[in-house]
Amino acid sequence: MKRFLSFFVMMCFVAISVAQAQDKNDIKVNVTDMSGIQFSNNQMMRAGEWLTYVEDGVTPEGLIGIGMPFYWGYMFPSSILGAYAGTQITQVAYVDPGEMQFAGTYEFHIYLGGDDAPGTEVVTQSIQVSGMSGDIEVVKLDTPVKIDGKENVWVCMYQDGSVQYPAIFMTDTGEPNARWIGVDGYGWMDMANVQGGEGMAWILWAYAEDIDAIGEFESNVAIYPNPTSGNLSVAAPGMNHLTVLNSIGQVVYDTSVSGDGASLDMAQYPAGVYMVRVEAANGVSVKRVTVK
């Protein structure tokens, strides 16, 4: 379904400090207007799953800059990536601001591991932001990133300071891992702790592919009926664990099981797409389930 989000924000300017100190309190942000820009997410529908902290109905607010090069992005913890073990990130996505003043060369960086700062960098890919579409732009990665479900995954954007307001933000949803910012000479920090950055979070997506076929025992797993508005039957040999995640990767159900069959009450969850992760001695399978 094609959905449009319109958003308006009053112009707000905060003084910039570019002092080269090691104190995060020396970093202040500028905010600029995105009045009249629209984006649609109809092109985001794929066979896999988009990992994001952007919730349905969220209202993006504007763009920020800090007067120097910086990184902004997400950390997806291993606690929610277990359901994606064996998949790979093949695409990332961002919102084009829709005005030429924001055009320029940006970079996507993806890292594996790290809790308070990114670990090992596995992808650096330059992109050209046109500043014209005002819509979601999808980027295919030259090097896909495998998810093992054991390491945190960081997905970040970077701009070298040539664009004054490069980073699009939304109202903070309360998820700290949607608020990471990195500045050379200052390190990585929560945007909520930066002057002028309170109440903000980023707008990014990462695409996990092959979500419907994980593990060698996939052909022996049956989940039905699908779509469902009530009980969901799960059948697989030697199951030992079941996990249900919503469309943004949050665990909504997690339990140990024993046997070849189980029943899940899906009527308790809002309509939408969920992932059901089935673990057994012979493998792991993740299947998408639609709740009506």
Side-chain angles (χ1 to χ4, degrees):
M1 178 184 298
K2 187 171 184 178
R3 294 176 294 183
F4 288 88
L5 297 178
S6 300
F7 46 92
F8 300 88
V9 64
M10 295 182 63
M11 188 74 76
C12 174
F13 293 99
V14 183
I16 304 174
S17 171
V18 295
Q20 296 301 307
Q22 300 299 314
D23 189 345
K24 66 187 178 185
N25 292 324
D26 291 322
I27 303 173
K28 300 177 183 178
V29 304
N30 261 358
V31 182
T32 193
D33 171 37
M34 290 183 67
S35 296
I37 306 301
Q38 294 184 326
F39 73 79
S40 62
N41 61 2
N42 63 306
Q43 74 268 43
M44 301 290 285
M45 309 306 290
R46 299 289 190 275
E49 299 294 338
W50 285 100
L51 307 178
T52 186
Y53 294 113
V54 181
E55 299 176 351
D56 290 342
V58 72
T59 303
E61 293 193 10
L63 300 98
I64 75 162
I66 62 172
M68 63 185 81
F70 74 104
Y71 300 79
W72 64 97
Y74 288 169
M75 190 268 273
F76 297 107
S78 59
S79 59
I80 70 171
L81 292 178
Y84 300 88
T87 66
Q88 57 184 2
I89 297 174
T90 58
Q91 300 174 86
V92 289
Y94 65 96
V95 177
D96 183 286
E99 295 183 24
M100 280 298 296
Q101 63 176 309
F102 307 116
T105 300
Y106 294 60
E107 292 176 353
F108 266 102
H109 294 252
I110 300 181
Y111 309 82
L112 298 179
D115 295 323
D116 300 320
T120 303
E121 186 169 45
V122 292
V123 166
T124 300
Q125 185 164 327
S126 295
I127 62 170
Q128 292 299 316
V129 174
S130 70
M132 295 298 291
S133 73
D135 211 338
I136 296 173
E137 297 293 335
V138 177
V139 178
K140 182 178 180 180
L141 295 178
D142 295 333
T143 304
V145 177
K146 293 183 179 179
I147 298 175
D148 64 9
K150 299 178 182 179
E151 292 185 286
N152 300 334
V153 175
W154 295 69
V155 178
C156 305
M157 291 189 76
Y158 169 81
Q159 220 288 321
D160 64 6
S162 58
V163 177
Q164 188 174 12
Y165 303 101
I168 294 180
F169 69 90
M170 61 184 175
T171 299
D172 183 15
T173 61
E175 172 51 64
N177 285 316
R179 305 190 303 241
W180 285 101
I181 183 172
V183 184
D184 291 343
Y186 296 81
W188 288 80
M189 63 204 77
D190 186 334
M191 188 64 180
N193 297 325
V194 178
Q195 293 188 59
E198 302 87 351
M200 299 177 182
W202 310 120
I203 301 178
L204 293 172
W205 295 265
Y207 183 64
E209 201 160 8
D210 299 326
I211 199 69
D212 284 323
I214 305 174
E216 296 179 355
F217 85 132
E218 172 73 21
S219 60
N220 295 321
V221 178
I223 295 181
Y224 58 92
N226 188 14
T228 183
S229 57
N231 287 336
L232 184 73
S233 295
V234 182
M239 288 188 296
N240 55 48
H241 208 95
L242 286 174
T243 305
V244 179
L245 300 97
N246 63 19
S247 61
I248 61 172
Q250 296 172 327
V251 175
V252 297
Y253 181 80
D254 187 72
T255 189
S256 297
V257 296
S258 179
D260 298 335
S263 179
L264 301 176
D265 178 16
M266 302 301 289
Q268 61 186 304
Y269 305 122
V273 177
Y274 294 80
M275 286 80 74
V276 178
R277 185 176 195 265
V278 182
E279 296 181 42
N282 294 330
V284 177
S285 176
V286 179
K287 290 185 177 291
R288 289 188 302 154
V289 172
T290 300
V291 173
K292 298 187 294 183

